[in-house]
């Protein structure tokens, strides 16, 4: 998350907040698959915003 402020303007506050909130969840065992999907989508959304500049 430290690299995002340097590469993305305007700062993607909503996307980072979503990622932080999803990563802090503790799902029940039967909800693990859905949680992992939401977590992966939150990461991919942020990576899409950063683009190739992060590599």
């Amino acid at each position: 998350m430290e690299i995002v402020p340097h590469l993305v303007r305007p700062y993607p506050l909503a996307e980072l907040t979503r990622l932080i909130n999803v990563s802090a969840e503790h799902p029940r065992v039967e909800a693990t698959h859905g949680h992992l999907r939401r977590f992966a989508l939150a990461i991919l959304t942020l990576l899409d915003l950063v683009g190739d500049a992060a590599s």
Side-chain angles (χ1 to χ4, degrees), residues 7-28:
L7 298 175
V8 179
R9 299 283 187 229
Y11 192 72
L13 185 59
E15 290 81 3
L16 280 174
T17 302
R18 172 112 175 104
L19 179 60
I20 291 167
N21 289 339
V22 172
S23 69
E25 291 177 5
H26 298 283
R28 297 182 314 268

